[in-house]
Amino acid sequence: MNFFYTFLLVGIVEFLKFNPLGYVPVLVDGDFVVADSFAILLYLEENYPQHPLLPKDLQKRALNYQAANLVSANIQPLQNLPVLGYIHEKLGPDEEIPLAQTHIRKGFATLEKLLENYAGKYATGNEVFLADLFLAPQIDGAVRRFNVDMSEYPILSRINEAYKELPAFQDAMPGKQPDTPPEARA
């Protein structure tokens, strides 16, 4: 067994202690571990209220939940590597991108309708909230990984430009993470 394979195997085994599913992200806060983007962000909302991720207004709060859930449950899962690998294996490599694009476009069209009466500088107004934390990486991935033409989605395109002005958002993009493979770096 070579060193890299041993390191990789040990790394995966160790990571599975944090998240038995083997997916990222995982947050370790002291001795508490929480996995899944939605669960992590809600945990942060409750545990660190000095930086609220949800508006006080109940309708805007519900709108944030709805937009975040559209991304996390209906768009993004179809872009995960295990799903794309399955599509590659069962349907062929030429089906991966078109299938992902179909679901991204359907989700983005829904988000355009959902946000049309609420979007300001950001998804649900002029402050960054939960919905934005899901939309920013989703839009970035749609453009970079799946070549989605954003001209069909003027609201999402506009708020994406606002996200690009936020250093914290740019620093958090997947392509800027230390474990990103070189070919996927921004």
Side-chain angles (χ1 to χ4, degrees), residues 112-171:
E112 285 282 319
K113 289 176 186 170
L114 178 68
L115 301 176
E116 69 185 342
N117 295 319
Y118 301 97
K121 183 172 184 176
Y122 304 110
T124 60
N126 292 320
E127 295 180 66
V128 171
F129 286 120
L130 182 72
D132 301 296
L133 303 181
F134 281 86
L135 286 169
Q138 180 59 59
I139 295 168
D140 182 74
V143 171
R144 288 181 195 269
R145 290 179 61 207
F146 299 103
N147 304 314
V148 172
D149 177 5
M150 293 301 295
S151 66
E152 298 175 41
Y153 315 104
I155 295 169
L156 296 179
S157 293
R158 182 176 46 75
I159 64 175
N160 189 48
E161 290 305 312
Y163 298 150
K164 290 178 181 179
E165 296 172 9
L166 299 172
F169 273 49
Q170 293 311 303
D171 292 344

Side-chain angles (χ1 to χ4, degrees), residues 4 17 28 33 36 47 64 66 71 75 107 111 143 179:
F4 178 75
K17 292 177 184 176
V28 179
V33 177
D36 180 75
N47 205 34
N64 272 270
Q66 190 174 357
V71 173
I75 303 172
L111 285 161
V143 171
D179 59 346

